[in-house]
Amino acid sequence: MSNAEIQKKIDEIEAEYAKTQKNKATSYHLGTLKAKLAKLRSELVNGPGGKSAGTKNAERGFDVSKSGDTRVGLVGFPSVGKSTLLTTLTGTKSEAAAYEFTTLTCIPGTMKYKGARIQVLDLPGIIEGAADGKGRGRQVISTARTCNMILIVLDSSKPVTHKKIIEAELFSFGIRINQSPPNVKVTKREAGGIEYQEMTSQTKGMNSEVARLILKEYKIPCASVILREDISVDQFIDVIEGNRAYIPVLYVFNKIDCLTIEELDILDQMPNYVPISSQHGWNIEELLEEIWSKCNMLRIYTKPKGQMPDYDEPVIMHVANDPTVEAFCNRLHKNLIDDFSHAMVWGRSAKHQPQRCGKDHILMDEDIVQIVKKVG
């Protein structure tokens, strides 16, 4: 099926969904329509086969090697100040001009904050329809999927509708903004039909019949489904698709030097936002602090035996990646864990100072760790 045919089918289903009344009697039909839409959109983005095809037929992201402790992508419409912001944060020169589409490829830069080396990517401006391939949209969003965090850069003097358009484009490409993966387990089985369990009451439209219809649409006749939290039909489809990226997002309102105090007060009601002026360097420190907070990074200091801790070069770890003593050892050297005996830990994670810990001990921000090797 060609992309034009897929898009035509999507438009037909969206039209049917829009004219269908939303009530309890139509919830099963609406769930089936949502599953069909998700499958077709996945096929449109990834090529025939949807999620199983990966990105074989889609445009791949820009070829930028990952470096540093974390990666942050700058996403936004053309001419909102992304290149100027990259220069302000990292010192890397990215061409900036008063016309749109100045940046045509991905420009990487690196900044250092609280001992962490953070790679910042200045991505070309995206336009409405980017997820469908307009402009270089697919390449931009494919690269954004590889980031630990996305900064959506918006021009304060332009309509906030730009924010909604960018969110819709990221959503279409499987990026879930400021969400956690649903606590749902779906296990395919050889036989036995659909076994459905709810650990908590469902108030957003999920039930055993909706689950069965969606699984049928994905040609899964036998499976065990366990819902451990209250989820929507869209979230259940995300679990089935299995290729969603859950990425923290910060909205950066640039060019605040063009706004009045009253307009700033209105913007201040929005969650996850930071107002800045990259040209004048206003409020950059708050932006850096928000990036640090959103990325959930930890600083772990090494302490050689009989010496002071090394406070200049901390080992940076992420809360999401299970910051154990074993993971800390692997960051230092891949073979260090083979000779590991125990660790002496000072800091918030220790019950007393120091505490002798094994490899499964969970570390916290600004802990000090001394590794003791096996003897003999």
Side-chain angles (χ1 to χ4, degrees), residues 67-290:
S67 67
D69 300 304
T70 198
R71 178 183 259 196
V72 175
L74 304 180
V75 173
F77 273 74
S79 197
V80 293
K82 298 188 297 296
S83 300
T84 309
L85 180 57
L86 177 78
T87 305
T88 304
L89 291 175
T90 68
T92 303
K93 294 293 179 186
S94 180
E95 191 179 345
Y99 53 86
E100 296 188 342
F101 296 106
T102 317
T103 305
L104 297 174
T105 187
C106 178
I107 311 293
T110 304
M111 65 177 182
K112 200 163 186 180
Y113 185 69
K114 292 187 177 180
R117 288 178 301 112
I118 301 171
Q119 184 183 42
V120 183
L121 303 182
D122 176 18
L123 296 163
I126 64 173
I127 56 177
E128 194 168 0
D132 300 327
K134 289 185 182 177
R136 302 187 76 176
R138 286 193 186 174
Q139 282 181 284
V140 172
I141 303 175
S142 290
T143 307
R145 278 183 71 112
T146 68
C147 297
N148 299 96
M149 180 184 181
I150 295 173
L151 297 184
I152 295 181
V153 186
L154 299 161
D155 188 336
S156 300
S157 60
K158 291 184 179 175
V160 185
T161 48
H162 286 185
K163 171 177 174 285
K164 293 287 183 190
I165 293 169
I166 293 171
E167 285 174 346
E169 295 302 327
L170 296 178
F171 185 89
S172 297
F173 216 79
I175 295 175
R176 299 295 175 257
I177 292 173
N178 294 330
Q179 293 182 28
S180 301
N183 193 358
V184 175
K185 188 172 184 181
V186 178
T187 310
K188 294 180 186 178
R189 302 189 302 189
E190 293 296 320
I194 304 297
E195 184 185 317
Y196 178 87
Q197 292 182 55
E198 293 177 0
M199 298 299 180
T200 182
S201 58
Q202 299 297 310
T203 62
K204 300 177 184 177
M206 275 303 297
N207 56 50
S208 58
E209 186 60 22
V210 171
R212 188 188 65 77
L213 288 169
I214 292 171
L215 290 168
K216 182 183 176 183
E217 188 62 39
Y218 281 91
K219 296 180 173 59
I220 303 174
C222 302
S224 168
V225 178
I226 303 173
L227 308 185
R228 293 193 175 92
E229 66 172 292
D230 189 9
I231 64 164
S232 65
V233 174
D234 289 322
Q235 286 177 299
F236 184 69
I237 292 169
D238 287 345
V239 173
I240 303 296
E241 283 281 339
N243 59 354
R244 304 310 191 215
Y246 296 87
I247 302 175
V249 164
L250 195 63
Y251 300 98
V252 181
F253 279 86
N254 196 13
K255 305 181 184 179
I256 56 167
D257 46 305
C258 303
L259 298 184
T260 63
I261 296 296
E262 290 77 12
E263 288 170 324
L264 270 174
D265 286 339
I266 294 169
L267 282 180
D268 202 40
Q269 298 168 20
M270 191 178 295
N272 301 310
Y273 106 107
V274 176
I276 66 159
S277 172
S278 52
Q279 186 175 2
H280 298 290
W282 294 353
N283 212 29
I284 298 298
E285 192 61 36
E286 185 188 343
L287 174 61
L288 292 171
E289 190 57 44
E290 285 291 335

Side-chain angles (χ1 to χ4, degrees), residues 8-26:
K8 188 181 177 184
K9 271 198 158 188
I10 288 173
D11 293 341
E12 288 172 359
I13 294 171
E14 282 180 338
E16 186 181 347
Y17 185 86
K19 69 183 181 185
T20 304
Q21 288 188 342
K22 278 69 174 176
N23 55 50
K24 200 170 183 180
T26 61

